[in-house]
Amino acid sequence: GVVRLGDHQSFVIADIPGLIEGAAEGAGLGVQFLKHLSRTRVLLHLLDIAPVDGSNPVDNFLTIERELKNYSAGISEKDRWVVLTKTDLVPQEDVAGMVQDITEQIKSSEVWAQNPTKNQKTSFFPISAVSGEGTSALTAAIAQYLKALEEQQVDDSLKSVDEERKIRDEVHEDGLRRRARRHASRQQNPPGDDDEDENNLVIHYEP
């Protein structure tokens, strides 16, 4: 779907069914949609802050991370953020502490330690779709992140064009210098009638 933040600002978001253990080998429905992740710029891991089935949100996160890596190293290397959902189901005064505890456990996990450079870009967002709490901050952060990526791509494209132009100019200038040296050499040592000069082209016209 399309998320609109204003008249002139929007981005596309894809909702992928939840992954379960073994998804990379075909378990569950989520794997059928994983190929769509190849076109995304950032992944959002939606984790229940307090799962009704009693599972641990940190374990759920690690399962998703392993399945993504098993399915595609390229997808697992994408920037991703952790979105802790359904904060309306826990006492408001407990949300901040729970978010901090989950964040610290994820950051101390073995999966996190495997790629510290990538994980430095990971952000954590507590939200509630029911109350709307945190959703504006999340969508604004996504829009700002995508805008920064686009600006970086423009800068990279301009640099690429500049580099190509520089190479063309250097090649052209080198060709001019070579021609000038050959011309100067001919002026200093004009070839005789019987001399052979591989740089000269003589065309004979038959009557």
Side-chain angles (χ1 to χ4, degrees):
V2 178
V3 178
R4 300 190 183 280
L5 284 76
D7 294 336
H8 305 289
Q9 191 174 24
S10 64
F11 58 85
V12 177
I13 192 166
D15 184 12
I16 305 301
L19 299 180
I20 62 175
E21 189 170 0
E25 285 74 42
L29 295 175
V31 70
Q32 300 178 25
F33 300 89
L34 282 177
K35 61 182 180 181
H36 299 298
L37 296 181
S38 61
R39 300 174 59 187
T40 61
R41 298 183 181 182
V42 60
L43 304 179
L44 304 180
H45 284 353
L46 272 63
L47 300 174
D48 285 4
I49 193 170
V52 294
D53 61 1
S55 61
N56 187 322
V58 176
D59 291 339
N60 296 338
F61 169 81
L62 298 179
T63 296
I64 294 174
E65 285 289 294
R66 284 191 292 268
E67 293 305 322
L68 287 177
K69 186 174 183 179
N70 290 338
Y71 178 78
S72 168
I75 290 178
S76 69
E77 289 297 318
K78 287 181 176 291
D79 292 344
R80 77 275 190 268
W81 299 350
V82 178
V83 182
L84 298 169
T85 66
K86 301 180 181 179
T87 56
D88 55 285
L89 297 182
V90 299
Q92 190 64 31
E93 62 272 17
D94 295 340
V95 172
M98 295 176 69
V99 171
Q100 182 178 356
D101 182 54
I102 293 172
T103 300
E104 291 176 352
Q105 289 187 56
I106 289 177
K107 288 185 175 182
S108 63
S109 67
E110 181 179 351
V111 170
W112 188 272
Q114 291 175 356
N115 199 334
T117 301
K118 180 191 72 172
N119 292 329
Q120 287 178 353
K121 302 178 182 180
T122 300
S123 300
F124 293 79
F125 293 87
I127 70 166
S128 168
V130 173
S131 67
E133 184 72 25
T135 56
S136 295
L138 174 60
T139 54
I142 295 173
Q144 183 177 5
Y145 174 84
L146 296 177
K147 182 180 179 181
L149 284 183
E150 291 175 356
E151 292 175 348
Q152 183 62 49
Q153 288 177 344
V154 171
D155 290 341
D156 291 344
S157 298
L158 292 176
K159 289 180 182 178
S160 178
V161 170
D162 289 341
E163 290 174 357
E164 291 177 3
R165 183 182 297 112
K166 180 180 178 182
I167 292 173
R168 288 198 302 269
D169 291 344
E170 289 174 346
V171 171
H172 178 66
E173 291 172 1
D174 182 68
L176 293 177
R177 286 193 296 269
R178 289 175 181 271
R179 290 175 59 185
R181 287 196 297 267
R182 288 198 297 268
H183 179 72
S185 177
R186 294 192 194 99
Q187 294 296 322
Q188 295 175 3
N189 303 293
D193 293 340
D194 297 328
D195 292 339
E196 293 183 358
D197 186 351
E198 62 180 3
N199 292 319
N200 290 326
L201 177 64
V202 179
I203 302 177
H204 297 279
Y205 293 94
E206 295 293 337

